[in-house]
Amino acid sequence: MPSFRTRPRLASLTLAASLAFAAVPASFAQGTDPSVKTVSPEVAQAVEAIKQNNVSRAAAFLRPAAEAGDPAAQALLGQIYLEGGDGIGVDLPQAGRWLRAAASNGDPSGAYALAAVTADGTLTPPGMDPTDSDARTAEATRLYLVAATAGSVPAQIETGLRYTQGIGTVPNRVEAARWFREAAQAGNPIAQFNLGALHAAGLLSGGTPDYAAARPWFEQAAAQGHPDAQYNLGLAAAQGLDQPVDNESAARWFAAAAQAGIADAQAGLAYLTYQGLGVPQDAAKAADLYARAAEQGHLIAQNRLARLYVMGRGVDADLAEAWKWHSLATRAGFEDAELDARFDKFLEADQRSLGDARAATWLEQRASQ
């Protein structure tokens, strides 16, 4: 059976953007924002009030401190006005006032929050045409850079993404790597993965993939449970991209990523399991893994599962089920002339009809998800 075909994926850079976002009040209250060093007694009292879902009491602690110029108080008060709650209504002008004050005073959380609500259109900077999307995007990028420079790890990740993709700025992979590295060195697994992905895609080495440079960043992210990093380590081990082929290591990393639902990893582990490479040979387990990936729309898995149903390996032979998966893969552009010939020779009309009905049901269910 042919080996799987896939590559380290920069697509997860886009995913990482959303994963990096966290509501500032929650992060602040839980003490999880590494850019927040020390806070005033008023802010500490406000944080405790937020933990107890007493937003109005938190605001009462924050107002005097914010008026006195405490940037952390300004940031948290701005976020309270942005979201409201417990007798505090949403007040966008007040939110903008305090978030802008916090950002201008160098508060990383305030600058990050202001950048986020500028980017999504919740707030429009004073004097800006609210319909000017280019100006809005550029301003959001500037604010993310302010927050990143002040030490906000989520802002560093977002800034890296914007430099990678040229959002609100000229694309600059060196700057992207710089900001990913800042967050990666702070221990953030998303940033570690993104930096590894830049190296793996060759974006920092003239187009030539540098798996050796990518590996330590993927390893750090994978150790923290990042499934895409785990998958890429499995792929590198299976294909010998920077070190000799190590099927046991490949199976271990694929298994970790497969457990997290990564279809590529499920298909990769299925291949190793079917062949007995790095793990005991087990056709039934391989079929189950292919099925899990196939259900997610993985074309190679759909094709391999169809073949297993034709041959009756790991599953009971079922030409209708085989036709279902083959037709789904073929419809999406994955051709298999050998299977076509086999179905032309052996598939009965009623089996074809049943397989078509099952495929239609699968497509309907997927469309509704």
Side-chain angles (χ1 to χ4, degrees):
M1 186 174 290
S3 64
F4 54 90
R5 295 287 186 269
T6 187
R7 301 172 63 184
R9 294 164 294 166
L10 272 176
S12 291
L13 282 172
T14 308
L15 174 63
S18 62
L19 290 179
F21 280 90
V24 174
S27 175
F28 206 110
Q30 295 165 13
T32 58
D33 187 344
S35 64
V36 178
K37 307 302 181 184
T38 59
V39 296
S40 65
E42 294 83 359
V43 172
Q45 289 173 310
V47 169
E48 288 302 315
I50 289 173
K51 289 180 178 178
Q52 297 166 17
N53 296 317
N54 194 334
V55 178
S56 59
R57 181 173 174 80
F61 285 126
L62 293 170
R63 287 190 191 98
E67 293 286 1
D70 183 333
Q74 293 167 341
L76 194 50
L77 185 58
Q79 195 75 5
I80 285 174
Y81 279 121
L82 188 66
E83 299 185 357
D86 182 36
I88 301 292
V90 172
D91 189 332
L92 294 183
Q94 284 295 307
R97 171 195 174 189
W98 292 116
L99 290 178
R100 283 190 291 272
S104 66
N105 287 327
D107 182 86
S109 296
Y112 176 78
L114 183 59
V117 295
T118 298
D120 68 16
T122 299
L123 293 180
T124 299
M128 178 182 290
D129 179 353
T131 66
D132 190 340
S133 60
D134 290 340
R136 178 183 297 281
T137 300
E139 176 63 8
T141 297
R142 184 189 73 80
L143 289 167
Y144 278 125
L145 181 58
V146 169
T149 303
S152 168
V153 169
Q156 290 167 351
I157 296 171
E158 180 64 28
T159 297
L161 288 165
R162 286 174 175 252
Y163 273 121
T164 300
Q165 300 168 353
I167 300 173
T169 186
V170 176
N172 188 324
R173 294 164 183 170
V174 173
E175 281 297 296
R178 170 196 170 190
W179 289 111
F180 286 147
R181 187 174 291 107
E182 286 280 342
Q185 290 174 340
N188 185 280
I190 296 168
Q192 291 163 350
F193 170 78
N194 287 352
L195 184 55
L198 288 179
H199 285 295
L203 297 182
L204 300 175
S205 49
T208 301
D210 189 345
Y211 299 114
R215 174 176 288 279
W217 297 113
F218 285 150
E219 287 176 339
Q220 291 180 56
Q224 297 190 67
H226 194 292
D228 287 312
Q230 293 168 339
Y231 166 74
N232 282 354
L233 287 174
L235 182 67
Q239 296 187 348
L241 297 181
D242 67 316
Q243 296 179 2
V245 170
D246 182 346
N247 287 319
E248 289 186 7
S249 179
R252 183 174 69 254
W253 286 119
F254 279 155
Q259 187 67 28
I262 302 299
D264 282 336
Q266 292 165 348
L269 182 59
Y271 173 77
L272 295 178
T273 302
Y274 186 83
Q275 299 289 350
L277 299 173
V279 291
Q281 190 171 33
D282 189 331
K285 185 175 180 179
D288 177 68
L289 286 162
Y290 276 135
R292 288 161 57 189
E295 289 289 354
Q296 294 189 64
H298 195 285
L299 299 185
I300 295 173
Q302 290 176 344
N303 171 263
R304 301 304 189 265
L305 188 58
R307 284 175 165 263
L308 292 181
Y309 274 113
V310 167
M311 297 181 291
R313 294 182 182 173
V315 291
D316 292 334
D318 185 337
L319 287 183
E321 190 69 7
W323 176 252
K324 164 194 167 180
W325 290 113
H326 174 66
S327 65
L328 287 169
T330 301
R331 184 178 314 204
F334 193 99
E335 302 292 338
D336 188 332
E338 182 181 346
L339 270 186
D340 284 336
R342 183 165 296 194
F343 284 125
D344 287 343
K345 185 174 183 180
F346 296 109
L347 188 66
E348 302 290 341
D350 59 338
Q351 295 171 324
R352 184 184 297 268
S353 296
L354 179 57
D356 285 338
R358 292 175 180 176
T361 298
W362 186 89
L363 289 169
E364 291 173 0
Q365 292 174 342
R366 188 165 177 82
S368 66
Q369 293 175 351

